[in-house]
Amino acid sequence: MRIAIENPDQPDVIQLIDDLDAFQKPLYPPESHYGIDIAALSAANVLFAVARDEAGTAIGCAAIVIEPEYGELKRMYVRPENRGQGIADKLLAFLEAEAMTRGCAMFRLETGVSQPAALSFYARSGYARRERFGRYPEDSLSVFMQKDAA
């Protein structure tokens, strides 16, 4: 497996994001979806990482939006058939390390109450629940988490 910073505007990466949306959209009402689109993922302040298998197939992705005070994790996804292999751990560690080289000292994220596997993964990865941040509205379906850079 190889992980690298890539352009999100690639057909196989767009498919990963579409798969993530197909998973999440049934879980929450439309007003509780806070994913960002390809244009936003392509912004200069975004680190977008793609995990590819030995054949070069995109099997996972994640982004960190670098804000002045923190980096926000967005669009974390690993294909179901590739889960349980430590890919999410490696993607997250890769992105955090890349963000730290750019001066990021804190990481935040928003996820949902209907994603217990994600909540468990982030907790195992050192993220702790915190209050709402940024421009997120009050939403009982959102869970906000934070981790200081190591």
Side-chain angles (χ1 to χ4, degrees), residues 79-149:
R79 290 190 185 284
E81 61 269 25
N82 297 107
R83 292 179 188 162
Q85 302 170 32
I87 295 166
D89 294 304
K90 291 173 185 161
L91 259 172
L92 184 58
F94 176 87
L95 267 179
E96 288 174 345
E98 288 289 318
M100 285 188 282
T101 67
R102 290 160 174 82
C104 192
M106 181 189 330
F107 305 106
R108 293 181 177 169
L109 63 89
E110 180 275 340
T111 190
V113 296
S114 297
Q115 295 173 262
L119 291 167
S120 177
F121 167 73
Y122 294 128
R124 282 192 322 271
S125 299
Y127 286 77
R129 289 184 186 227
R130 57 155 291 133
E131 71 279 358
R132 179 175 59 90
F133 67 90
R135 289 177 263 177
Y136 288 100
E138 290 291 335
D139 188 337
S140 63
L141 300 176
S142 286
V143 176
F144 300 96
M145 302 180 88
Q146 178 174 308
K147 174 183 175 180
D148 290 330

